[in-house]
Every structure is written in structure tokens, then in C-alpha cells.
């Protein structure tokens, strides 16, 4: 006679029910914001506001050696953001750094909490300094972000110590590298920003970018070279190809691993040329 194992059947049903409950809980967990990190999944990416100048350069363009000797005179500078905290400006000055740019804003939702120490501290040791804005073209218009930048530290005055503001336009650390825009839309967004910045300050903004990003996301547009100084990012022994239209760079960010502050730059000229840019 067959033996009826009711206890075994109930046990299997209990295990199936428990497995279903566990799967439902895992589905809910994965659906929660940031939960994939907690569950050991892929990272959700950096938090809004934490973007810094050149943070995507190594991942997209790689990293080579430091610049080799050049016949042209170069003036050393740095760029800083909140992750550096209170910067040792006297140490940098004594090492030969003569100018600095500080992140002021990002989008229309972030201001650098260390801006005063960094922007005023560099000025107080004798540096010529300026401010930069990390663009997020997928959040608000170029004009809105330019106004936000000017209103939160990105202004300019002809005091001989203040450089024009910088539009930092590069890979999107929070999503699609071109911020979901076509090349034509990106060019229009940049034009909106720089036109508004000039209307507010009287100065043409410096454009910071990388050649590969500029090619991918603006179609290698050549329409800004006659008005906007170029700050190009390339971590190698030579600056390499420049974006279309620019025959030379004004600033070259050549490393993110320098002493004291990681991001180091060459200004393409002697200190009097840095002062000339400051004076407009």
C-alpha cells in the first residue's frame, strides 16, 4: 500500500511559500533608490553636487606621463572643489602655483561649502583666482545656470586678481555622457550659457572640456574658438589634438595627481599673460 506523507508535502509547500516571500522582498529592495548598492549590485553613481573638473578624463581618455619640456613659458595653476576641503594655499604658493580656479556651483542645486576658504584663501596668498561652474545640461537651461553661477561666486571684476568664469562642460557623471542631447542641442545650450554669462559680467567665459567629449557631444563644433578661451583636459606628456577651431589652448589640465592638490594645470604663457586674462 502506498504511504501517505502529508508532513512532507506540507514541508515542501512551506519552503515554496518562504522562497516566494523572499523573492518578493528582494524585488522590493532592488526597486528602492540606492538599494542596489546595499544589496551588492552595481553602484548607483556619485551623488549630485560631487562632480569635479576632469573627473571623467582617466576613464574615457586614459592617463599617460607628465608633460615633457616645452620652449613656451608656462605658469602653474590648480583647480579645486569641495572634496579638497580647506586648501593649504601657502604651501601651493611656495611650490610655484600662481593661479587657481575654485568650483563655485553645479546645475542650480549646489554651491561649494568650501568656496570662501578656497576662493579667498588663494587670493590672500597672492594668487590670481577665478571660479568655475560644473554644467548639467539635462537639468536646466544654459541661461538659468549662467545666472545661478554669477549669483553664487562666478562674477568678475577688473581688479587684476579675478579671472573670468569657467564653463566646465564634460562627461556626465550621473548618466548619459551627452546629457541626452543631440550635438545641435548641446551647442545651443553652451551658447545660451556663454551669451548669458557675457551679458551679466562683460566677459567671455572660459570653456573647459576634453577633445574627445567635445567631438562626441557637440559634433566638434568650431563656433566658440574666436570668443571663448580654451581650457583643455588631457593627462599625458603632450596636449594632443584640440577641439575644432582652437589653434592653441589657454590652459591645459595635465594631471589629477599632483602634490598638495591633485589637479594641476599649465597656463600657456608667463604670469603677465595670466594677469592679462584677468584684466580682460
Amino acid at each position: 500500500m502506498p504511504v501517505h506523507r502529508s508532513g512532507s508535502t506540507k514541508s515542501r509547500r512551506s519552503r515554496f511559500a518562504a522562497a516566494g516571500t523572499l523573492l518578493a522582498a528582494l524585488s522590493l529592495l532592488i526597486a528602492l533608490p540606492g538599494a542596489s548598492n546595499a544589496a551588492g549590485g552595481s553602484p548607483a553613481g556619485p551623488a549630485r553636487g560631487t562632480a569635479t573638473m576632469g573627473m571623467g578624463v582617466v576613464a574615457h581618455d586614459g592617463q599617460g606621463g607628465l608633460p615633457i619640456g616645452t620652449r613656451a613659458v608656462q605658469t602653474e595653476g590648480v583647480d579645486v572643489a569641495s572634496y579638497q576641503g580647506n586648501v593649504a594655499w601657502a604651501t601651493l604658493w611656495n611650490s610655484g602655483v600662481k593661479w587657481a580656479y575654485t568650483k563655485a556651483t553645479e546645475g542650480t542645486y549646489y554651491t561649494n561649502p568650501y568656496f570662501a576658504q578656497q576662493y579667498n584663501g588663494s587670493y590672500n596668498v597672492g594668487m590670481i583666482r577665478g571660479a568655475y561652474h560644473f554644467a548639467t545640461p539635462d537639468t536646466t537651461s544654459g541661461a538659468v545656470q549662467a545666472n545661478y553661477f554669477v549669483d553664487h561666486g562666478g562674477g568678475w571684476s577688473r581688479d587684476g586678481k579675478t579671472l573670468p568664469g569657467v564653463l566646465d562642460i564634460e562627461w556626465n557623471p550621473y548618466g548619459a555622457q551627452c546629457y541626452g542631447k543631440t550635438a545641435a542641442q548641446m551647442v545651443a545650450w553652451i551658447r545660451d550659457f556663454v551669451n548669458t554669462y557675457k551679458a551679466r559680467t562683460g566677459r567671455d567665459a572660459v570653456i573647459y572640456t576634453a577633445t574627445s567629449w567635445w567631438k562626441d557631444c557637440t559634433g566638434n563644433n568650431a563656433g566658440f574658438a574666436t570668443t571663448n578661451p580654451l581650457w583643455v583636459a588631457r593627462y599625458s606628456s603632450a596636449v594632443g589634438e584640440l577641439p575644432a577651431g582652437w589653434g592653441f589652448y589657454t590652459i591645459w589640465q595635465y594631471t589629477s595627481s599632483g602634490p598638495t592638490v591633485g589637479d594641476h594645470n599649465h597656463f600657456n604663457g608667463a604670469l603677465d599673460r595670466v594677469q592679462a586674462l584677468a584684466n580682460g
Side-chain angles (χ1 to χ4, degrees):
M1 260 182 93
V3 178
H4 181 58
R5 297 181 176 87
S6 59
S8 176
T9 302
K10 287 180 181 179
S11 176
R12 286 196 299 272
R13 287 176 180 170
S14 297
R15 286 198 297 273
F16 291 149
T21 302
L22 177 59
L23 286 172
L26 285 172
S27 297
L28 177 61
L29 177 63
I30 292 169
L32 292 172
S36 59
N37 275 346
S42 61
R48 284 277 178 181
T50 60
T52 59
M53 188 175 271
M55 67 185 299
V57 172
V58 174
H60 291 88
D61 284 349
Q63 185 168 5
L66 292 175
I68 57 177
T70 174
R71 284 179 253 176
V73 176
Q74 308 274 306
T75 306
E76 193 76 4
V78 296
D79 58 270
V80 298
S82 62
Y83 78 94
Q84 274 111 357
N86 292 322
V87 175
W89 290 113
T91 300
L92 285 165
W93 175 263
N94 292 334
S95 73
V97 173
K98 300 305 177 189
W99 60 270
Y101 267 103
T102 295
K103 180 180 179 181
T105 51
E106 178 180 318
T108 53
Y109 49 79
Y110 173 85
T111 58
N112 177 3
Y114 290 93
F115 182 76
Q117 192 277 343
Q118 295 175 348
Y119 189 74
N120 297 330
S122 54
Y123 177 94
N124 290 338
V125 299
M127 293 185 192
I128 301 171
R129 48 72 164 121
Y132 80 84
H133 173 79
F134 192 95
T136 55
D138 57 340
T139 60
T140 46
S141 73
V144 167
Q145 291 193 30
N147 282 317
Y148 185 80
F149 177 44
V150 173
D151 292 341
H152 295 86
W156 175 80
S157 60
R158 187 177 277 109
D159 59 3
K161 297 291 291 289
T162 304
L163 293 160
V166 174
L167 171 63
D168 178 357
I169 186 81
E170 58 176 294
W171 297 280
N172 179 11
Y174 311 117
Q177 71 170 3
C178 298
Y179 300 86
K181 294 190 177 297
T182 65
Q185 290 170 337
M186 184 63 75
V187 169
W189 192 98
I190 295 169
R191 181 68 64 195
D192 197 25
F193 184 100
V194 298
N195 285 350
T196 303
Y197 186 82
K198 185 165 187 178
R200 287 289 307 273
T201 67
R203 294 301 307 275
D204 289 304
V206 176
I207 292 178
Y208 169 97
T209 194
T211 301
S212 61
W213 183 91
W214 192 261
K215 283 181 167 182
D216 289 343
C217 297
T218 75
N220 210 18
N221 185 274
F224 298 93
T226 59
T227 52
N228 301 94
L230 172 66
W231 186 347
V232 66
R234 178 67 173 162
Y235 301 165
S236 189
S237 58
V239 70
E241 181 186 5
L242 300 179
W246 281 286
F248 61 91
Y249 65 86
T250 297
I251 304 172
W252 169 20
Q253 186 189 59
Y254 66 86
T255 186
S256 61
S257 55
T260 309
V261 164
D263 292 356
H264 274 247
N265 308 267
H266 286 326
F267 190 97
N268 195 5
L271 184 60
D272 66 336
R273 304 317 303 157
V274 184
Q275 291 168 334
L277 181 62
N279 286 322

